[in-house]
Amino acid sequence: MELVSIDDIRTAATSITDLVVHTPLLPCPWAAGHGSLSLKPENLQTTGSFKIRGAYNAIRRCPPSLRDRGVITYSSGNHAQALAYAARALGVPCTVVMPEDARQVKVTATRSLGAEIVLVPPAERKDVATRLAETEGLALIPPFDHPDVIGGQGTVGLEIVEDLPEVDVVLVPVGGGALASGVATAVKSLRPSASVIGVEPELAADAAESLRSGRLCTWPMTRTGRTVADGLRTNLSDLTFAHLRTHLDDLVTVSEEEITDAVAHLARSAHLIVEPSGAVTVAAYLFNKDRLPAGRTVAVLSGGNVDFGFFTNVLVAPSESQGAD
């Protein structure tokens, strides 16, 4: 299986620069008691998450004859909005297959970006999107299982090393694995001495099990659906698993309480709205520091598209880390 290279990521960086924000590294004086930490706030990215990087790169890399007919994906979250936004910027028709139980706010947001929405039973999303792509001649751009998507997400790692060449540790969320695959590829290529550590919820730890066992392990949605980090409920693919086995140094898991406490801590101390999936890296840094290498650390905050009912409840609840403020 051919893996994405640093050259692919550099090419992606050139391709997406007109639409994607180069997010800064934010210092964290409130984390002084834990060591040296900087945040990579992809929650400030266009459409509120890192997903625009891979979506836009994948569309740009499509042959014009195929792209101009339209693009299609299956997603109920950040990738849906990212692809719709990127397609609109390029004047390309976009179809998104979403589950019938998707939150209305996500359906409305994706439709407002110009996408045609197809609602189907949750288990049929991928199959319906694949069938429509074939019958209507559309370019299928999946949420993570695609080399151009991985290449685009890898630009996060490229920017980290550009902005902090002496980085020692990079913490990155793991769901379907494209972000972690791309970041690990970029960082290990440019800064081999740095450690890239994946982070995922204990309740959706299929990647941790896969890496321990040396084989791809799949957890059903009935199991991964228990975590509040809804963006990390997806299993790895063969492609992303191959990247993580090659480039990832370690993977740690965090509890639900640690995740929600990190969301609150980021709001109070860093003044950032971060969704649970994006806050897992700070949860690992605050509560699992003994499992991480020492040194200058960057935590990737993958997105900020949070449910505000949940967010309000988290802020009202007592936070274990308030004493660190």
Side-chain angles (χ1 to χ4, degrees):
M1 182 180 297
E2 186 174 354
L3 302 186
V4 170
S5 69
I6 186 61
D7 289 337
D8 295 323
I9 295 171
R10 286 190 171 119
T11 298
T14 301
S15 177
I16 67 177
T17 186
D18 61 322
L19 194 67
V20 172
V21 176
H22 182 133
T23 53
L25 293 184
L26 305 179
C28 301
W30 47 266
H34 296 270
S36 172
L37 176 67
S38 298
L39 304 177
K40 179 69 168 169
E42 288 293 293
N43 57 307
L44 304 180
Q45 186 58 256
T46 308
T47 71
S49 86
F50 73 96
K51 289 285 191 176
I52 187 63
R53 297 173 181 268
Y56 192 42
N57 186 53
I59 294 180
R60 292 291 300 269
R61 297 276 293 173
C62 279
S65 59
L66 177 60
R67 180 181 67 203
D68 292 347
R69 295 195 199 108
V71 295
I72 187 169
T73 194
Y74 49 94
S75 169
S76 60
N78 291 338
H79 181 68
Q81 295 179 55
L83 190 70
Y85 184 88
R88 186 177 69 176
L90 291 170
V92 174
C94 178
T95 301
V96 179
V97 180
M98 303 183 77
E100 294 170 336
D101 59 358
R103 289 196 300 117
Q104 188 57 45
V105 66
K106 292 185 177 182
V107 176
T108 301
T110 305
R111 184 177 284 123
S112 71
L113 291 169
E116 177 185 349
I117 307 300
V118 178
L119 296 174
V120 300
E124 298 179 16
R125 285 181 301 170
K126 183 177 181 179
D127 290 342
V128 170
T130 301
R131 184 171 67 251
L132 288 173
E134 293 174 350
T135 58
E136 299 186 18
L138 305 177
L140 179 62
I141 299 179
F144 58 91
D145 190 25
H146 194 289
D148 292 331
V149 173
I150 292 173
Q153 318 306 27
T155 60
V156 172
L158 194 67
E159 292 175 6
I160 288 172
V161 179
E162 287 178 357
D163 294 344
L164 185 63
E166 65 274 22
V167 63
D168 296 307
V169 184
V170 176
L171 305 176
V172 59
V174 178
L179 176 62
S181 295
V183 168
T185 299
V187 173
K188 298 301 287 187
S189 297
L190 300 172
R191 173 78 167 165
S193 63
S195 297
V196 182
I197 312 295
V199 186
E200 67 179 347
E202 292 175 352
L203 297 184
D206 59 286
E209 182 180 344
S210 298
L211 292 170
R212 281 196 307 268
S213 66
R215 60 182 180 82
L216 185 62
C217 300
T218 301
W219 288 22
M221 182 59 73
T222 53
R223 190 175 181 186
T224 63
R226 299 171 298 163
T227 180
V228 69
D230 59 329
L232 305 182
R233 293 170 179 167
T234 307
N235 291 278
L236 301 177
S237 67
D238 289 328
L239 180 61
T240 56
F241 180 48
H243 282 81
L244 298 190
R245 287 189 70 182
T246 302
H247 297 298
L248 202 66
D249 291 289
D250 199 3
L251 193 149
V252 301
T253 59
V254 290
S255 70
E256 296 299 290
E257 184 177 4
E258 291 167 348
I259 295 171
T260 55
D261 195 79
V263 170
H265 194 69
L266 283 163
R268 295 188 178 104
S269 300
H271 313 293
L272 293 172
I273 298 174
V274 182
E275 61 191 271
S277 301
V280 295
T281 52
V282 171
Y285 190 85
L286 293 176
F287 303 107
N288 296 270
K289 195 67 166 61
D290 59 332
R291 297 182 56 188
L292 303 177
R296 292 160 293 242
T297 301
V298 173
V300 178
L301 310 180
S302 55
N305 293 319
V306 67
D307 179 277
F308 278 94
F310 161 83
F311 189 67
T312 300
N313 290 334
V314 167
L315 290 183
V316 170
S319 170
E320 288 185 5
S321 60
Q322 286 184 63
D325 293 0

